Amino acid sequence: MRLWLLANLTGCLLSAAANAQSSATSFPAKPVTIVVPASPGGVTDALGRMLAQRFTEAWGQQVIVENRPGANNQIAAEYVTKAAPDGYTLFIAALPVMAIVPAINKVRYDARKSFAPISNIATNAFVLVVNKDLPATTLHEFVDYVGARKGQLAYGSAGIGSLNHLSMALFLKQAGLEMTHVPYKGNAPALSDVVAGHIPAMFSNFSDALPQANAGNVRMLALSSEKRSPLARQVPTVAESGFPKFNVLTWNGLMAPADTPRPVVDRIAAEIAEAVKDPKFSARLSEFGVDPLGNSPAEYGAMLAADIATWTEAVEAAGVKQQ
């Protein structure tokens, strides 16, 4: 009896493995939907459409983009968690909905358990910028300048709980500094006030800050990423400027509902890895101010876990209370 049960169990496992492999081999056998948690336009939507075109050409099967904006990307995230775990419904996930929103709001999904990470498509750094007249040309000089004016200076952000708000809060905690937070309705108006001198500093999206810096309107002191940007190699990172634990990036990655067969996940990830190696695809990403990545499902999962810990700490440092 035991031998029969063992043989039956083994047969079931082999059959399940064969079915999973078969589904990957035949995937996709029907149209695939990429759910974008934003309205048409913008980086996240553009990435979704770039992937849809790439997949359609590679697979010979239609891949469509479905925009589901709202509730800080939660509407799209919740929708994908309820989809069949077969690879035919995918999700362009931005870092906030995975690592920040759950730390601030009660959500109906678990960032680590409700999704199957496929690949982190591209990343985008932030950069500490100051008004051109501020007497600080390095991060060290900025720390000294702010430290000598405890609580007297302000910094801008795209809003309470935004990535650049939390980035600055995290940096100030690590540097032992105090500044007053001034939230704006978006990165652009905050950066405009740094240019005008109404506020002295902020962590800005690198893609927004670069043209202002090139025009001499602001000074870029340090990048939030682990490595320097090829678009501004003269700008050091925060980590190399005396704060080795500081490594902050935003990103857009592709995810599927949890329990999607691993062979299907691996096949999609392999296609993304090939895409970011394509000079034309990579160049288009650079036009949006993002750095191509295309890592593996395991690497993306590890990155997500680390980011959840980092941004949970940042939320606490910023004093943003859970709602």
Side-chain angles (χ1 to χ4, degrees):
M1 183 65 176
R2 290 181 179 177
L3 290 176
W4 180 86
L5 289 174
L6 181 60
N8 190 49
L9 177 60
T10 302
C12 290
L13 291 174
L14 290 174
S15 176
N19 288 337
Q21 189 61 47
S22 176
S23 65
T25 302
S26 61
F27 178 87
K30 61 181 181 179
V32 175
T33 298
I34 295 178
V35 178
V36 173
S39 301
V43 175
T44 302
D45 178 68
L47 289 179
R49 295 182 187 281
M50 286 175 62
L51 280 185
Q53 180 181 355
R54 176 82 186 195
F55 290 163
T56 296
E57 294 171 353
W59 297 335
Q61 186 64 257
Q62 185 180 19
V63 179
I64 61 175
V65 169
E66 182 177 336
N67 296 88
R68 285 183 171 266
N72 291 323
N73 297 353
Q74 293 178 69
I75 290 176
E78 292 176 13
Y79 174 79
V80 172
T81 63
K82 298 174 183 177
D86 52 14
Y88 289 94
T89 301
L90 306 175
F91 179 46
I92 292 284
L95 181 144
V97 74
M98 292 288 109
I100 295 178
V101 173
I104 298 175
N105 301 317
K106 293 181 180 180
V107 297
R108 286 180 258 180
Y109 59 88
D110 186 306
R112 298 186 64 181
K113 297 179 181 179
S114 302
F115 302 92
I118 297 175
S119 181
N120 194 325
I121 308 160
T123 62
N124 189 7
F126 296 94
V127 61
L128 179 61
V129 298
V130 297
N131 177 267
K132 59 183 177 59
D133 296 325
L134 194 79
T137 59
T138 67
L139 186 61
H140 179 73
E141 291 177 355
F142 177 79
V143 170
D144 287 345
Y145 184 81
V146 175
R149 295 160 179 79
K150 185 176 181 180
Q152 298 178 27
L153 301 175
Y155 69 92
S157 81
I160 296 174
S162 63
L163 285 164
N164 41 17
H165 170 210
L166 299 180
S167 296
M168 182 64 94
L170 187 61
F171 172 72
L172 294 176
K173 177 185 177 182
Q174 293 186 12
L177 301 174
E178 291 184 18
M179 297 181 74
T180 300
H181 175 222
V182 180
Y184 289 76
K185 294 182 179 180
N187 191 85
L191 184 58
S192 292
D193 266 12
V194 175
V195 172
H198 299 312
I199 51 174
M202 70 176 293
F203 262 106
S204 169
N205 295 340
F206 178 68
S207 54
D208 288 349
L210 185 60
Q212 293 289 354
N214 289 339
N217 297 326
V218 297
R219 188 181 304 118
M220 298 192 296
L221 299 186
L223 279 165
S224 67
S225 52
E226 185 178 10
K227 299 179 181 179
R228 296 192 183 197
S229 169
L231 300 178
R233 294 191 182 280
Q234 78 281 9
V235 181
T237 66
V238 175
E240 69 179 285
S241 301
F243 301 89
K245 294 182 179 180
F246 194 88
N247 178 25
V248 172
L249 291 170
T250 185
W251 44 254
N252 287 100
L254 193 66
M255 294 190 169
D259 300 323
T260 298
R262 185 55 186 262
V264 172
V265 169
D266 288 341
R267 180 170 186 197
I268 301 171
E271 189 59 48
I272 295 176
E274 286 298 314
V276 298
K277 294 176 185 176
D278 182 336
K280 292 183 179 179
F281 190 92
S282 182
R284 288 186 65 191
L285 290 176
S286 297
E287 291 175 2
F288 290 108
V290 300
D291 299 315
L293 184 55
N295 58 6
S296 70
E299 290 168 335
Y300 186 19
M303 190 174 187
L304 175 61
D307 280 342
I308 289 173
T310 294
W311 292 105
T312 298
E313 179 186 355
V315 167
E316 293 175 354
V320 180
K321 297 181 180 180
Q322 189 175 56
Q323 299 176 4

